[in-house]
Amino acid sequence: MEAALALAEEAYAAGEIPVGAVVVKDGAVIGRGRNRREASHSVLGHAELEAMEQAAASLGDWRLSGCTLYVTLEPCPMCAGAAVNAHVERIVYGAEDEVMGACGTAVSVIRLPRVFRPALYKGLLGEECGALLRRFFAERRK
């Protein structure tokens, strides 16, 4: 999660919503991502999608079986759906997202009937992840 938090700091410095993500398999980081929606002008510029794409390229397979996705903010429905479809084994996130969190806070994409269900761990470095997001949005509101 520390690697994901460092990527979130990079996003913050670039003026992006500070979310970072890494995909780990067998103890090695095989995918990294940070939000890039502003820079790429893309609705798909989410940290999780970037990290999962890199991981899939690294593995040469779209299936991310045996992988853990670490992300600083609870995935949105799009990213949680991508993780489910990629068969990510575990999702670990820091801060909850009361508005768009799709791992149980606002909705639960990962618990839909008849879909692959990743294990879920929440709150890892949650205070640090949440503080970065709060600082970013407080500065935006000024």
Side-chain angles (χ1 to χ4, degrees), residues 54-110:
Q54 282 186 14
S58 172
L59 295 174
D61 192 351
W62 62 268
R63 290 175 195 83
L64 300 180
S65 302
C67 293
T68 300
L69 171 65
Y70 291 89
V71 60
T72 57
L73 180 64
E74 181 179 2
C76 71
M78 175 177 66
C79 294
V84 166
N85 282 303
H87 294 232
V88 169
E89 188 172 316
R90 279 178 300 284
I91 299 172
V92 180
Y93 69 84
E96 290 184 337
D97 185 344
E98 294 179 8
V99 176
M100 292 295 291
C103 293
T105 302
V107 296
S108 189
V109 169
I110 67 167

Side-chain angles (χ1 to χ4, degrees), residues 1-2 4-5 19-21 48 69-75 91-97 103 105 120-131 133-134:
M1 185 60 85
E2 290 174 352
L5 194 51
V19 177
E48 302 94 319
L69 171 65
Y70 291 89
V71 60
T72 57
L73 180 64
E74 181 179 2
I91 299 172
V92 180
Y93 69 84
E96 290 184 337
D97 185 344
C103 293
T105 302
L120 179 64
Y121 301 92
K122 56 185 176 178
L124 183 60
L125 297 181
E127 184 52 41
E128 294 89 334
C129 296
L133 287 157
R134 286 188 297 276

Side-chain angles (χ1 to χ4, degrees), residues 22-68:
V22 296
V23 175
V24 174
K25 183 166 184 161
D26 299 328
V29 174
I30 61 169
R32 290 175 166 73
R34 67 170 180 82
N35 273 6
R36 295 181 196 273
R37 291 191 311 173
E38 301 301 327
S40 66
H41 306 289
S42 172
V43 297
L44 303 176
H46 287 215
E48 302 94 319
L49 297 181
E50 184 173 278
M52 287 188 285
E53 279 291 306
Q54 282 186 14
S58 172
L59 295 174
D61 192 351
W62 62 268
R63 290 175 195 83
L64 300 180
S65 302
C67 293
T68 300

